[in-house]
Amino acid sequence: MALVVEVQDLVKDYNGFKAVDGVTFHVAQGEIFGLLGPNGAGKTTTILMLLGMTEPTAGVVRVCGYDPNKEPLEVKRITGYLPENVGFYEDLTAKENLLYLTKLNGIPEDVAIKKIDKVLTTVGLLEVKDKLVGTYSKGMRQRLGLASVLIKEPKLVILDEPTTGIDPEGTEQVLDLIRKMSREMGVSILLSSHLLYQVQQVCDRVGIMFRGKMVAQGSIEEIGRQVLGEREGIMKLTYDYISDEALSKLDGIDGVLEKKIANNSIILKFNEERKLDIVREVVMRGFLPIEVKGREYSLEEIYIRYFREE
Amino acid sequence: MSGLLSVFLKELTDQFGSRRFMLIALIVVITGLFSSYTASEALREQQFLNEEYLFLSLFSLSGGGLPSFLFFISFFGPLLGIILGFDAINGERTRGTLSLILSQPVYRDVIINGKFLASIATVAIMIASIMVMIAGISIAKLGVVPNGQEVARAFLFFIACILYIAFWTSLAILFSIVFEKSSTSALTSIAIWIFLAFFVYMIAGVIADEVYPITRQSTPELLAKHESLRTMLLRFSPAVLLEEISAAILNPTVRVFGPMFETQLQGLILTPLSLSQSVLVVWPQFVALVAASIICFAVSYLAFMRKEIRST
């Protein structure tokens, strides 16, 4: 699989304060990678180094094989970057704003006009393209931001806190667009956020940053196992007659962690990984499972657990 | 290159469309036209019509209680320059558009160069149109058409005005890079303007008095030293440089600045100097004005290239 972003032992030292301290990660083609962490963890600094907008103290950065420090223009040509709190020229229309950006990208005007209509359709702003950006809502601006990123047909899109400060409906639209970019257009996406729930919805893999260090990396599943340990499932069972005797019939099943009687049913806690075997086994022993719940790892839990330990 | 042109055109449109520019342009145009109108009135009444460089005196002559066009330029020019530049960079940063532009594939200096050039072009277009209007008035009212010599001198005066305002623009741009808030950069630029426009006269006098104390009995040599030190110090103010340049360019008989001994004047024939001779007289002032702008611009350039732009 082709790697779009490669970062190796990246360090950024601001007069003795290490904003980024030995970060290593990569983003593969078409992947959505989430950079997570509390404010001040070093996410934005990492992003700025990816774009060559600030110089790394040490370490290696490659974007599609280019070194952002030596060839910033090449990197910026293939990378769409949506900064946090992006602004547009309020006294220009959406179309004029995008036209200016296409000019800076060296796209000829006749091509640009067609492209603008296309990306504005994608982000759902075609009807308001001739309205001044000053009249746009925060959610619309963010979608215009995505349009400004898409217009250069990037290989990599970097989104810094893309959903901060917009309402739930706007957030949903932005997340949909992010998914669409990755799945339909094959763009790699690196997004930074401190809003866990949203990242969990869209990211293939995440990296958790804390005080400049990448403390955990992988799919949410993997990180969950690392941080929270084995997952636990809960099963509700009924039996012909519920008594302590019935409970003892469940002895000796591998992977059962706890069993008890409550509200005329038996509650079984078990190791999630053996769910199928355990369900089969209890049915064989004459029990009827009326509810089986596996618990997904939530990023929130991982996050809280992780930072409490720190 | 296409990036520079795009930034330049965008900034030029912005400048001409902005209300604050319209306001200051209106003030400058009205005062400029009135001052040259009254100057032409005064010229007619005083029967100076046989004067050789009549057209040029429209820019430097005051009449009817109104100061000269030159005075208005030296007074409003800094304001115009500051207005064009004080929020060039920090304004864009506050609005969040700076990181948007910087993430596009253009070199960083394209942005600052484009902005600087657009400000200069704005000033040039404005001053040029006022001067053409003044020429129109002079032709209509006095019936004199400027000759080639006068046109060349007027053009040099025009260049000097632009250089003068360019200094203030680059100073304002520098502050807009250094300071986070556009209010701070505006106030700092205005403070420097007030200092250089008004206080520098007092300070130059005080320093000259300290270094070469003069009394009624002082020798002419000491007086001359005192005066040259004072003029030297005054030349730190771009307004003084502009005044000296204009004096020599607009008045061909001016051949020296500062004190002169009577012996030096002996045998001098007060004929008008040729254009190149006039330019030679104020060449140092020209160079100083250009250097001041270049230094300011170079410092802003370096500051901007080294600055880390964060969106928050």
Side-chain angles (χ1 to χ4, degrees):
Chain A
M1 199 162 33
L3 294 184
V4 175
V5 177
E6 292 167 82
V7 173
Q8 189 78 43
D9 300 323
L10 193 62
V11 178
K12 177 71 190 183
D13 196 319
Y14 287 110
N15 304 323
F17 169 71
K18 286 194 169 167
V20 175
D21 189 1
V23 165
T24 300
F25 68 95
H26 66 264
V27 181
Q29 171 131 38
E31 185 183 37
I32 306 183
F33 186 85
L35 212 49
L36 299 175
N39 294 329
K43 294 169 298 193
T44 303
T45 312
T46 307
I47 289 175
L48 289 183
M49 286 191 279
L50 277 177
L51 288 159
M53 286 161 92
T54 187
E55 214 172 305
T57 312
V60 179
V61 184
R62 290 287 179 278
V63 176
C64 291
Y66 295 114
D67 182 348
N69 233 344
K70 297 200 177 101
E71 298 157 294
L73 289 204
E74 294 302 325
V75 171
K76 285 176 187 171
R77 199 160 284 138
I78 51 172
T79 307
Y81 170 49
L82 186 60
E84 189 183 358
N85 303 322
V86 66
F88 287 93
Y89 296 100
E90 310 255 309
D91 44 357
L92 298 181
T93 66
K95 191 181 158 189
E96 286 164 342
N97 265 294
L98 291 180
L99 202 57
Y100 182 42
L101 295 181
T102 54
K103 277 183 193 158
L104 293 179
N105 276 281
I107 302 172
E109 192 163 334
D110 48 333
V111 182
I113 294 206
K114 281 182 208 139
K115 277 192 181 176
I116 288 170
D117 279 1
K118 202 176 131 205
V119 293
L120 284 177
T121 312
T122 312
V123 300
L125 290 174
L126 191 67
E127 285 97 79
V128 289
K129 70 170 180 178
D130 291 321
K131 280 201 179 149
L132 296 185
V133 175
T135 65
Y136 277 28
S137 71
K138 183 106 208 267
M140 287 159 89
R141 277 163 208 245
Q142 204 64 18
R143 279 188 282 151
L144 181 58
L146 289 174
S148 79
V149 159
L150 282 176
I151 200 143
K152 43 168 128 165
E153 297 174 349
K155 288 188 183 158
L156 168 69
V157 167
I158 298 179
L159 307 168
D160 200 353
E161 304 277 359
T163 54
T164 306
I166 45 181
D167 60 22
E169 204 196 329
T171 304
E172 210 43 59
Q173 288 168 328
V174 168
L175 291 177
D176 270 348
L177 280 169
I178 293 175
R179 261 187 227 112
K180 208 167 162 185
M181 281 196 256
S182 157
R183 303 291 174 255
E184 290 172 22
M185 307 177 194
V187 178
S188 310
I189 293 170
L190 174 72
L191 69 89
S192 94
S193 186
H194 64 273
L195 298 171
L196 306 166
Y197 173 67
Q198 298 164 357
V199 172
Q200 193 169 357
Q201 281 182 298
V202 295
C203 287
D204 298 320
R205 284 192 315 126
V206 296
I208 299 180
M209 285 188 78
F210 187 62
R211 290 189 184 150
K213 289 199 165 77
M214 186 75 94
V215 291
Q217 203 181 150
S219 65
I220 292 171
E221 188 96 347
E222 287 163 13
I223 295 183
R225 202 170 299 135
Q226 264 174 38
V227 179
L228 298 176
E230 293 302 320
R231 277 188 299 174
E232 228 172 51
I234 293 181
M235 206 183 290
K236 240 186 208 174
L237 305 170
T238 53
Y239 193 57
D240 297 349
Y241 56 95
I242 295 186
S243 69
D244 291 346
E245 200 183 322
L247 210 57
S248 64
K249 280 190 173 235
L250 289 167
D251 284 347
I253 301 175
D254 201 17
V256 172
L257 306 169
E258 197 190 327
K259 50 185 192 275
K260 63 178 182 209
I261 298 172
N263 299 334
N264 286 326
S265 54
I266 299 168
I267 307 286
L268 213 60
K269 287 190 179 170
F270 58 92
N271 183 346
E272 172 79 29
E273 284 194 346
R274 294 193 31 80
K275 183 156 76 180
L276 265 180
D277 294 335
I278 292 169
V279 171
R280 199 176 295 128
E281 190 62 35
V282 296
V283 172
M284 296 275 280
R285 292 185 187 193
F287 292 84
L288 177 67
I290 49 174
E291 210 180 306
V292 180
K293 264 199 284 191
R295 274 180 55 209
E296 296 283 315
Y297 287 120
S298 103
L299 199 44
E300 199 119 33
E301 253 177 299
I302 298 171
Y303 205 61
I304 288 169
R305 181 73 64 87
Y306 199 88
F307 295 129
R308 196 179 291 150
E309 280 168 13
E310 285 286 315
Chain B
M1 212 44 219
S2 72
L4 181 61
L5 188 67
S6 314
V7 175
F8 173 77
L9 289 176
K10 158 91 175 53
E11 292 297 324
L12 200 61
T13 325
D14 280 3
Q15 297 287 24
F16 274 102
S18 69
R19 284 204 192 101
R20 55 184 193 217
F21 170 76
M22 298 221 201
L23 198 68
I24 188 89
L26 199 69
I27 293 174
V28 177
V29 168
I30 289 175
T31 52
L33 288 184
F34 266 99
S35 69
S36 58
Y37 181 84
T38 50
S40 69
E41 285 284 279
L43 281 174
R44 212 158 57 161
E45 281 164 19
Q46 291 164 23
Q47 299 297 316
F48 280 144
L49 283 175
N50 51 354
E51 206 175 279
E52 204 169 346
Y53 294 97
L54 191 67
F55 175 69
L56 290 175
S57 51
L58 282 176
F59 298 115
S60 54
L61 203 73
S62 55
L66 260 186
S68 65
F69 176 69
L70 169 63
F71 172 82
F72 281 117
I73 287 292
S74 87
F75 187 77
F76 286 120
L79 264 184
L80 177 65
I82 290 170
I83 279 177
L84 291 176
F86 79 93
D87 68 343
I89 301 297
N90 54 16
E92 293 236 16
R93 186 162 49 205
T94 322
R95 276 173 278 150
T97 45
L98 191 58
S99 12
L100 182 74
I101 299 304
L102 286 179
S103 62
Q104 308 306 323
V106 287
Y107 287 109
R108 208 179 248 213
D109 56 349
V110 159
I111 293 158
I112 188 164
N113 292 349
K115 278 177 180 286
F116 184 71
L117 290 178
S119 302
I120 306 263
T122 311
V123 171
I125 293 171
M126 202 180 112
I127 305 277
S129 37
I130 298 174
M131 285 178 69
V132 168
M133 282 192 252
I134 290 176
I137 287 182
S138 88
I139 293 169
K141 271 195 68 89
L142 300 173
V144 286
V145 180
N147 59 29
Q149 168 90 245
E150 281 178 308
V151 169
R153 282 175 182 271
F155 182 74
L156 278 178
F157 173 64
F158 166 68
I159 298 288
C161 290
I162 291 176
L163 287 176
Y164 174 63
I165 298 175
F167 165 76
W168 291 102
T169 303
S170 46
L171 190 73
I173 291 180
L174 172 61
F175 288 140
S176 88
I177 293 167
V178 174
F179 297 114
E180 302 277 318
K181 283 188 187 161
S182 42
S183 52
T184 319
S185 54
L187 286 176
T188 316
S189 315
I190 288 176
I192 299 233
W193 166 54
I194 289 175
F195 176 80
L196 287 182
F198 305 108
F199 291 102
V200 82
Y201 290 94
M202 303 176 206
I203 289 174
V206 169
I207 293 178
D209 286 343
E210 277 299 313
V211 180
Y212 301 111
I214 43 168
T215 57
R216 223 174 268 226
Q217 284 85 37
S218 297
T219 59
E221 283 78 14
L222 191 68
L223 281 175
K225 274 185 185 162
H226 178 274
E227 185 56 22
S228 5
L229 178 66
R230 207 181 69 90
T231 351
M232 221 40 235
L233 290 172
L234 279 183
R235 286 184 185 139
F236 277 102
S237 168
V240 173
L241 294 178
L242 177 73
E243 273 161 34
E244 293 190 348
I245 292 174
S246 323
I249 297 289
L250 296 179
N251 186 353
T253 51
V254 170
R255 53 189 70 211
V256 74
F257 291 103
M260 278 186 87
F261 293 110
E262 219 164 297
T263 48
Q264 285 175 289
L265 288 170
Q266 264 171 10
L268 190 73
I269 305 159
L270 275 172
T271 50
L273 294 178
S274 74
L275 178 60
S276 56
Q277 292 300 313
S278 285
V279 170
L280 270 184
V281 170
V282 284
W283 189 244
Q285 280 87 338
F286 252 115
V287 173
L289 207 49
V290 173
S293 307
I294 289 181
I295 288 170
C296 267
F297 186 69
V299 174
S300 3
Y301 189 91
L302 285 179
F304 186 61
M305 296 304 269
R306 294 173 63 90
K307 191 153 193 121
E308 184 179 292
I309 308 293
R310 283 182 175 257
S311 46
T312 42

